[in-house]
Amino acid sequence: MTRLTGRDITLLLNELWFLLIAVLFIGFFFLEGYDFGVGMATRFVARNETERRVLINTIGPFWDANEVWMITAGGAMFAAFPNWYATLFSGFYVPLVVLLLLLIARGTAFEYRAKVAHPKWAGTWDWAIFIASLLCPFLWGVVFSTLVYGLPIDKNMNMHATFTSIVNPYTVLGGLLITLLCLYHGLVYICLRTTDEIKERARALAKKVFWVLAAAAIAFVVVTFFVTDLFAKRGLFLYPIYALDVVILILSVIFLNKKRDGWAFGMNAGVILLTISSLFIGLFPRLMISNIKKAYDLTVYNSASGSYSLTVMTIVAITLLPFVLGYSIWSYYVFRKRVSKEEHMEY
């Protein structure tokens, strides 16, 4: 039996933390994805103030906890891969600041929209919820698309990105795909959590969004095949992943038609899991791709913290993770009932 050396353990920890960060981002898009979708749906599904309150109340107990997944992912990047964190957050300073401001505006809107009983007051905050819920997933889609598309990163791990390095047809398509995926996810979630005409209105819109989402997904996969090296490096994994993606996406709309909302939501959750997973699988062991020279790519090996730091982080994560997951499961169980117009509106 081969004995693991210290270097082997360090490499395993590097890969483990890459996996954990991927899981955190998958959890973020799964949980915050329906939050964003509900926020967008407040302009398409709700027809009056009462119905908007119903929609917001479906995510009221969860939205702030769901954002913790993103914060934890950022913290894990900072601690486990400081070079990745430094290059990403400095190179994407403007879009990430805009993203942060949108999230602040969205959270503030949830808390303040019901503080003053005036239509213009609530209406202003409702627009803040809609705009932030629309732009946040779009910006995340753009950021993740650039990671696989490639960026001008030099030998010192500095990123010299121009506007077109970040905003181009491929990344805009990626942003549109994530936005549509979140909208569809939110609409299915509304079907699961509301009653009567709101639920049926969301179901009808979800069926229409499905076709736009399917078209965007196919276009993104085809373009990814031609403009990136993901399929060349990880085609063995990506081909079955995207094939399964197609199957469960179709199943989601089938279950939606049959009014099996729980199954529809579960299928779409699977689509999100596979879609975000495919990006990390295609990247591995890279973290960011340099379009200047392949030798300048950031990887899980040249961007990681020391062995001691990763070991301590792993012990802490293993200790605390069961409590965090337990609390999350408990909160979803407590607030599992559907929300109706007749109930007291809090937000």
Side-chain angles (χ1 to χ4, degrees), residues 246-273:
V246 171
V247 172
I248 61 177
L249 183 60
I250 293 172
L251 283 174
S252 73
V253 79
I254 290 174
F255 284 123
L256 200 62
N257 279 319
K258 293 180 177 294
K259 300 186 177 183
R260 303 287 297 275
D261 300 326
W263 281 98
F265 184 77
M267 292 298 104
N268 197 57
V271 173
I272 292 175
L273 185 152

PDB file of all heavy atoms in Angstrom, residues 246-273:
ATOM      1  N   VAL A 246     -30.543  17.961 -20.574  1.00  0.00           N
ATOM      2  CA  VAL A 246     -31.676  18.060 -21.508  1.00  0.00           C
ATOM      3  C   VAL A 246     -32.840  17.210 -21.023  1.00  0.00           C
ATOM      4  O   VAL A 246     -34.003  17.644 -21.021  1.00  0.00           O
ATOM      5  CB  VAL A 246     -31.246  17.624 -22.928  1.00  0.00           C
ATOM      6  CG1 VAL A 246     -32.459  17.510 -23.847  1.00  0.00           C
ATOM      7  CG2 VAL A 246     -30.250  18.621 -23.509  1.00  0.00           C
ATOM      8  N   VAL A 247     -32.536  15.987 -20.598  1.00  0.00           N
ATOM      9  CA  VAL A 247     -33.585  15.059 -20.162  1.00  0.00           C
ATOM     10  C   VAL A 247     -34.343  15.609 -18.963  1.00  0.00           C
ATOM     11  O   VAL A 247     -35.579  15.643 -18.950  1.00  0.00           O
ATOM     12  CB  VAL A 247     -32.978  13.679 -19.823  1.00  0.00           C
ATOM     13  CG1 VAL A 247     -34.029  12.773 -19.180  1.00  0.00           C
ATOM     14  CG2 VAL A 247     -32.419  13.025 -21.079  1.00  0.00           C
ATOM     15  N   ILE A 248     -33.622  16.060 -17.943  1.00  0.00           N
ATOM     16  CA  ILE A 248     -34.325  16.489 -16.726  1.00  0.00           C
ATOM     17  C   ILE A 248     -34.994  17.849 -16.915  1.00  0.00           C
ATOM     18  O   ILE A 248     -35.990  18.145 -16.248  1.00  0.00           O
ATOM     19  CB  ILE A 248     -33.402  16.484 -15.494  1.00  0.00           C
ATOM     20  CG1 ILE A 248     -32.229  17.440 -15.659  1.00  0.00           C
ATOM     21  CG2 ILE A 248     -32.907  15.083 -15.203  1.00  0.00           C
ATOM     22  CD1 ILE A 248     -31.356  17.505 -14.415  1.00  0.00           C
ATOM     23  N   LEU A 249     -34.470  18.674 -17.833  1.00  0.00           N
ATOM     24  CA  LEU A 249     -35.154  19.930 -18.136  1.00  0.00           C
ATOM     25  C   LEU A 249     -36.503  19.648 -18.795  1.00  0.00           C
ATOM     26  O   LEU A 249     -37.515  20.277 -18.464  1.00  0.00           O
ATOM     27  CB  LEU A 249     -34.292  20.805 -19.044  1.00  0.00           C
ATOM     28  CG  LEU A 249     -34.861  22.196 -19.388  1.00  0.00           C
ATOM     29  CD1 LEU A 249     -35.076  23.019 -18.115  1.00  0.00           C
ATOM     30  CD2 LEU A 249     -33.946  22.930 -20.351  1.00  0.00           C
ATOM     31  N   ILE A 250     -36.523  18.686 -19.705  1.00  0.00           N
ATOM     32  CA  ILE A 250     -37.791  18.289 -20.339  1.00  0.00           C
ATOM     33  C   ILE A 250     -38.727  17.681 -19.300  1.00  0.00           C
ATOM     34  O   ILE A 250     -39.935  17.959 -19.290  1.00  0.00           O
ATOM     35  CB  ILE A 250     -37.531  17.301 -21.485  1.00  0.00           C
ATOM     36  CG1 ILE A 250     -36.781  18.014 -22.623  1.00  0.00           C
ATOM     37  CG2 ILE A 250     -38.830  16.708 -22.010  1.00  0.00           C
ATOM     38  CD1 ILE A 250     -36.303  17.085 -23.721  1.00  0.00           C
ATOM     39  N   LEU A 251     -38.172  16.864 -18.400  1.00  0.00           N
ATOM     40  CA  LEU A 251     -38.995  16.272 -17.347  1.00  0.00           C
ATOM     41  C   LEU A 251     -39.617  17.347 -16.450  1.00  0.00           C
ATOM     42  O   LEU A 251     -40.753  17.206 -15.995  1.00  0.00           O
ATOM     43  CB  LEU A 251     -38.153  15.322 -16.492  1.00  0.00           C
ATOM     44  CG  LEU A 251     -37.836  13.953 -17.100  1.00  0.00           C
ATOM     45  CD1 LEU A 251     -36.879  13.185 -16.192  1.00  0.00           C
ATOM     46  CD2 LEU A 251     -39.110  13.157 -17.326  1.00  0.00           C
ATOM     47  N   SER A 252     -38.878  18.429 -16.218  1.00  0.00           N
ATOM     48  CA  SER A 252     -39.401  19.490 -15.352  1.00  0.00           C
ATOM     49  C   SER A 252     -40.670  20.096 -15.928  1.00  0.00           C
ATOM     50  O   SER A 252     -41.643  20.327 -15.201  1.00  0.00           O
ATOM     51  CB  SER A 252     -38.347  20.568 -15.126  1.00  0.00           C
ATOM     52  OG  SER A 252     -38.168  21.364 -16.280  1.00  0.00           O
ATOM     53  N   VAL A 253     -40.683  20.343 -17.230  1.00  0.00           N
ATOM     54  CA  VAL A 253     -41.880  20.943 -17.830  1.00  0.00           C
ATOM     55  C   VAL A 253     -43.000  19.915 -17.962  1.00  0.00           C
ATOM     56  O   VAL A 253     -44.191  20.264 -17.895  1.00  0.00           O
ATOM     57  CB  VAL A 253     -41.539  21.593 -19.193  1.00  0.00           C
ATOM     58  CG1 VAL A 253     -41.427  20.560 -20.300  1.00  0.00           C
ATOM     59  CG2 VAL A 253     -42.567  22.663 -19.549  1.00  0.00           C
ATOM     60  N   ILE A 254     -42.649  18.640 -18.116  1.00  0.00           N
ATOM     61  CA  ILE A 254     -43.671  17.586 -18.139  1.00  0.00           C
ATOM     62  C   ILE A 254     -44.372  17.512 -16.788  1.00  0.00           C
ATOM     63  O   ILE A 254     -45.612  17.466 -16.698  1.00  0.00           O
ATOM     64  CB  ILE A 254     -43.051  16.226 -18.511  1.00  0.00           C
ATOM     65  CG1 ILE A 254     -42.624  16.225 -19.986  1.00  0.00           C
ATOM     66  CG2 ILE A 254     -44.043  15.087 -18.245  1.00  0.00           C
ATOM     67  CD1 ILE A 254     -41.875  14.972 -20.405  1.00  0.00           C
ATOM     68  N   PHE A 255     -43.580  17.508 -15.708  1.00  0.00           N
ATOM     69  CA  PHE A 255     -44.160  17.488 -14.358  1.00  0.00           C
ATOM     70  C   PHE A 255     -44.960  18.757 -14.091  1.00  0.00           C
ATOM     71  O   PHE A 255     -45.985  18.730 -13.400  1.00  0.00           O
ATOM     72  CB  PHE A 255     -43.070  17.314 -13.307  1.00  0.00           C
ATOM     73  CG  PHE A 255     -42.541  15.919 -13.196  1.00  0.00           C
ATOM     74  CD1 PHE A 255     -41.189  15.640 -13.369  1.00  0.00           C
ATOM     75  CD2 PHE A 255     -43.397  14.862 -12.910  1.00  0.00           C
ATOM     76  CE1 PHE A 255     -40.708  14.354 -13.267  1.00  0.00           C
ATOM     77  CE2 PHE A 255     -42.928  13.553 -12.801  1.00  0.00           C
ATOM     78  CZ  PHE A 255     -41.574  13.300 -12.975  1.00  0.00           C
ATOM     79  N   LEU A 256     -44.492  19.877 -14.642  1.00  0.00           N
ATOM     80  CA  LEU A 256     -45.211  21.133 -14.483  1.00  0.00           C
ATOM     81  C   LEU A 256     -46.590  21.050 -15.135  1.00  0.00           C
ATOM     82  O   LEU A 256     -47.594  21.504 -14.577  1.00  0.00           O
ATOM     83  CB  LEU A 256     -44.400  22.275 -15.094  1.00  0.00           C
ATOM     84  CG  LEU A 256     -44.719  23.705 -14.633  1.00  0.00           C
ATOM     85  CD1 LEU A 256     -44.455  23.870 -13.144  1.00  0.00           C
ATOM     86  CD2 LEU A 256     -43.902  24.704 -15.436  1.00  0.00           C
ATOM     87  N   ASN A 257     -46.641  20.461 -16.316  1.00  0.00           N
ATOM     88  CA  ASN A 257     -47.922  20.284 -17.007  1.00  0.00           C
ATOM     89  C   ASN A 257     -48.862  19.370 -16.240  1.00  0.00           C
ATOM     90  O   ASN A 257     -50.085  19.555 -16.257  1.00  0.00           O
ATOM     91  CB  ASN A 257     -47.681  19.719 -18.403  1.00  0.00           C
ATOM     92  CG  ASN A 257     -47.272  20.791 -19.402  1.00  0.00           C
ATOM     93  OD1 ASN A 257     -47.825  21.884 -19.394  1.00  0.00           O
ATOM     94  ND2 ASN A 257     -46.304  20.492 -20.243  1.00  0.00           N
ATOM     95  N   LYS A 258     -48.286  18.371 -15.578  1.00  0.00           N
ATOM     96  CA  LYS A 258     -49.080  17.424 -14.810  1.00  0.00           C
ATOM     97  C   LYS A 258     -49.396  17.943 -13.400  1.00  0.00           C
ATOM     98  O   LYS A 258     -50.003  17.231 -12.596  1.00  0.00           O
ATOM     99  CB  LYS A 258     -48.342  16.084 -14.713  1.00  0.00           C
ATOM    100  CG  LYS A 258     -48.197  15.357 -16.041  1.00  0.00           C
ATOM    101  CD  LYS A 258     -47.459  14.044 -15.865  1.00  0.00           C
ATOM    102  CE  LYS A 258     -47.367  13.266 -17.160  1.00  0.00           C
ATOM    103  NZ  LYS A 258     -48.676  12.798 -17.644  1.00  0.00           N
ATOM    104  N   LYS A 259     -48.946  19.150 -13.092  1.00  0.00           N
ATOM    105  CA  LYS A 259     -49.145  19.789 -11.786  1.00  0.00           C
ATOM    106  C   LYS A 259     -48.480  19.016 -10.655  1.00  0.00           C
ATOM    107  O   LYS A 259     -48.962  19.015  -9.517  1.00  0.00           O
ATOM    108  CB  LYS A 259     -50.638  20.002 -11.505  1.00  0.00           C
ATOM    109  CG  LYS A 259     -51.310  20.903 -12.547  1.00  0.00           C
ATOM    110  CD  LYS A 259     -52.747  21.239 -12.182  1.00  0.00           C
ATOM    111  CE  LYS A 259     -53.345  22.193 -13.228  1.00  0.00           C
ATOM    112  NZ  LYS A 259     -54.712  22.600 -12.898  1.00  0.00           N
ATOM    113  N   ARG A 260     -47.380  18.394 -10.988  1.00  0.00           N
ATOM    114  CA  ARG A 260     -46.536  17.745  -9.977  1.00  0.00           C
ATOM    115  C   ARG A 260     -45.410  18.729  -9.649  1.00  0.00           C
ATOM    116  O   ARG A 260     -44.263  18.577 -10.091  1.00  0.00           O
ATOM    117  CB  ARG A 260     -45.985  16.429 -10.518  1.00  0.00           C
ATOM    118  CG  ARG A 260     -47.054  15.440 -10.978  1.00  0.00           C
ATOM    119  CD  ARG A 260     -47.785  14.822  -9.802  1.00  0.00           C
ATOM    120  NE  ARG A 260     -46.901  14.048  -8.971  1.00  0.00           N
ATOM    121  CZ  ARG A 260     -46.572  12.762  -9.201  1.00  0.00           C
ATOM    122  NH1 ARG A 260     -47.070  12.134 -10.258  1.00  0.00           N
ATOM    123  NH2 ARG A 260     -45.765  12.115  -8.392  1.00  0.00           N
ATOM    124  N   ASP A 261     -45.768  19.751  -8.891  1.00  0.00           N
ATOM    125  CA  ASP A 261     -44.864  20.884  -8.715  1.00  0.00           C
ATOM    126  C   ASP A 261     -43.586  20.531  -7.956  1.00  0.00           C
ATOM    127  O   ASP A 261     -42.521  21.074  -8.242  1.00  0.00           O
ATOM    128  CB  ASP A 261     -45.602  22.020  -8.003  1.00  0.00           C
ATOM    129  CG  ASP A 261     -46.811  22.492  -8.785  1.00  0.00           C
ATOM    130  OD1 ASP A 261     -46.749  22.477 -10.029  1.00  0.00           O
ATOM    131  OD2 ASP A 261     -47.828  22.868  -8.163  1.00  0.00           O
ATOM    132  N   GLY A 262     -43.689  19.662  -6.980  1.00  0.00           N
ATOM    133  CA  GLY A 262     -42.505  19.251  -6.232  1.00  0.00           C
ATOM    134  C   GLY A 262     -41.494  18.568  -7.129  1.00  0.00           C
ATOM    135  O   GLY A 262     -40.288  18.834  -7.066  1.00  0.00           O
ATOM    136  N   TRP A 263     -41.985  17.682  -7.991  1.00  0.00           N
ATOM    137  CA  TRP A 263     -41.095  16.987  -8.929  1.00  0.00           C
ATOM    138  C   TRP A 263     -40.519  17.962  -9.952  1.00  0.00           C
ATOM    139  O   TRP A 263     -39.338  17.873 -10.321  1.00  0.00           O
ATOM    140  CB  TRP A 263     -41.842  15.864  -9.636  1.00  0.00           C
ATOM    141  CG  TRP A 263     -41.981  14.636  -8.798  1.00  0.00           C
ATOM    142  CD1 TRP A 263     -43.062  14.269  -8.048  1.00  0.00           C
ATOM    143  CD2 TRP A 263     -40.990  13.628  -8.599  1.00  0.00           C
ATOM    144  NE1 TRP A 263     -42.815  13.086  -7.392  1.00  0.00           N
ATOM    145  CE2 TRP A 263     -41.553  12.670  -7.722  1.00  0.00           C
ATOM    146  CE3 TRP A 263     -39.698  13.440  -9.066  1.00  0.00           C
ATOM    147  CZ2 TRP A 263     -40.846  11.541  -7.311  1.00  0.00           C
ATOM    148  CZ3 TRP A 263     -38.990  12.310  -8.664  1.00  0.00           C
ATOM    149  CH2 TRP A 263     -39.567  11.375  -7.795  1.00  0.00           C
ATOM    150  N   ALA A 264     -41.328  18.894 -10.411  1.00  0.00           N
ATOM    151  CA  ALA A 264     -40.845  19.897 -11.374  1.00  0.00           C
ATOM    152  C   ALA A 264     -39.721  20.736 -10.756  1.00  0.00           C
ATOM    153  O   ALA A 264     -38.698  21.000 -11.401  1.00  0.00           O
ATOM    154  CB  ALA A 264     -41.994  20.792 -11.822  1.00  0.00           C
ATOM    155  N   PHE A 265     -39.914  21.135  -9.504  1.00  0.00           N
ATOM    156  CA  PHE A 265     -38.896  21.928  -8.818  1.00  0.00           C
ATOM    157  C   PHE A 265     -37.618  21.108  -8.633  1.00  0.00           C
ATOM    158  O   PHE A 265     -36.506  21.612  -8.825  1.00  0.00           O
ATOM    159  CB  PHE A 265     -39.431  22.388  -7.465  1.00  0.00           C
ATOM    160  CG  PHE A 265     -38.492  23.287  -6.713  1.00  0.00           C
ATOM    161  CD1 PHE A 265     -38.356  24.619  -7.077  1.00  0.00           C
ATOM    162  CD2 PHE A 265     -37.768  22.807  -5.637  1.00  0.00           C
ATOM    163  CE1 PHE A 265     -37.490  25.465  -6.375  1.00  0.00           C
ATOM    164  CE2 PHE A 265     -36.904  23.636  -4.936  1.00  0.00           C
ATOM    165  CZ  PHE A 265     -36.760  24.969  -5.303  1.00  0.00           C
ATOM    166  N   GLY A 266     -37.779  19.842  -8.271  1.00  0.00           N
ATOM    167  CA  GLY A 266     -36.615  18.974  -8.096  1.00  0.00           C
ATOM    168  C   GLY A 266     -35.844  18.774  -9.386  1.00  0.00           C
ATOM    169  O   GLY A 266     -34.609  18.779  -9.398  1.00  0.00           O
ATOM    170  N   MET A 267     -36.566  18.619 -10.500  1.00  0.00           N
ATOM    171  CA  MET A 267     -35.903  18.456 -11.791  1.00  0.00           C
ATOM    172  C   MET A 267     -35.118  19.708 -12.163  1.00  0.00           C
ATOM    173  O   MET A 267     -33.977  19.631 -12.636  1.00  0.00           O
ATOM    174  CB  MET A 267     -36.929  18.140 -12.882  1.00  0.00           C
ATOM    175  CG  MET A 267     -37.607  16.784 -12.783  1.00  0.00           C
ATOM    176  SD  MET A 267     -36.464  15.385 -12.924  1.00  0.00           S
ATOM    177  CE  MET A 267     -36.366  14.862 -11.199  1.00  0.00           C
ATOM    178  N   ASN A 268     -35.715  20.866 -11.956  1.00  0.00           N
ATOM    179  CA  ASN A 268     -35.011  22.102 -12.302  1.00  0.00           C
ATOM    180  C   ASN A 268     -33.824  22.341 -11.382  1.00  0.00           C
ATOM    181  O   ASN A 268     -32.811  22.904 -11.807  1.00  0.00           O
ATOM    182  CB  ASN A 268     -35.958  23.297 -12.259  1.00  0.00           C
ATOM    183  CG  ASN A 268     -35.401  24.492 -12.990  1.00  0.00           C
ATOM    184  OD1 ASN A 268     -35.072  24.420 -14.173  1.00  0.00           O
ATOM    185  ND2 ASN A 268     -35.242  25.604 -12.295  1.00  0.00           N
ATOM    186  N   ALA A 269     -33.950  21.910 -10.132  1.00  0.00           N
ATOM    187  CA  ALA A 269     -32.798  21.983  -9.228  1.00  0.00           C
ATOM    188  C   ALA A 269     -31.653  21.145  -9.783  1.00  0.00           C
ATOM    189  O   ALA A 269     -30.484  21.538  -9.706  1.00  0.00           O
ATOM    190  CB  ALA A 269     -33.200  21.491  -7.836  1.00  0.00           C
ATOM    191  N   GLY A 270     -31.996  19.992 -10.366  1.00  0.00           N
ATOM    192  CA  GLY A 270     -30.986  19.147 -10.988  1.00  0.00           C
ATOM    193  C   GLY A 270     -30.323  19.822 -12.173  1.00  0.00           C
ATOM    194  O   GLY A 270     -29.119  19.674 -12.405  1.00  0.00           O
ATOM    195  N   VAL A 271     -31.108  20.579 -12.938  1.00  0.00           N
ATOM    196  CA  VAL A 271     -30.549  21.326 -14.080  1.00  0.00           C
ATOM    197  C   VAL A 271     -29.520  22.336 -13.590  1.00  0.00           C
ATOM    198  O   VAL A 271     -28.432  22.467 -14.165  1.00  0.00           O
ATOM    199  CB  VAL A 271     -31.669  22.039 -14.870  1.00  0.00           C
ATOM    200  CG1 VAL A 271     -31.077  22.951 -15.937  1.00  0.00           C
ATOM    201  CG2 VAL A 271     -32.593  21.020 -15.520  1.00  0.00           C
ATOM    202  N   ILE A 272     -29.846  23.058 -12.531  1.00  0.00           N
ATOM    203  CA  ILE A 272     -28.915  24.042 -11.974  1.00  0.00           C
ATOM    204  C   ILE A 272     -27.655  23.344 -11.471  1.00  0.00           C
ATOM    205  O   ILE A 272     -26.527  23.788 -11.732  1.00  0.00           O
ATOM    206  CB  ILE A 272     -29.588  24.836 -10.841  1.00  0.00           C
ATOM    207  CG1 ILE A 272     -30.695  25.720 -11.415  1.00  0.00           C
ATOM    208  CG2 ILE A 272     -28.571  25.671 -10.069  1.00  0.00           C
ATOM    209  CD1 ILE A 272     -31.501  26.461 -10.378  1.00  0.00           C
ATOM    210  N   LEU A 273     -27.827  22.242 -10.751  1.00  0.00           N
ATOM    211  CA  LEU A 273     -26.681  21.501 -10.230  1.00  0.00           C
ATOM    212  C   LEU A 273     -25.754  21.066 -11.357  1.00  0.00           C
ATOM    213  O   LEU A 273     -24.531  21.264 -11.287  1.00  0.00           O
ATOM    214  CB  LEU A 273     -27.181  20.282  -9.443  1.00  0.00           C
ATOM    215  CG  LEU A 273     -26.133  19.439  -8.712  1.00  0.00           C
ATOM    216  CD1 LEU A 273     -26.773  18.765  -7.499  1.00  0.00           C
ATOM    217  CD2 LEU A 273     -25.537  18.348  -9.610  1.00  0.00           C
TER     218      LEU A 273
END
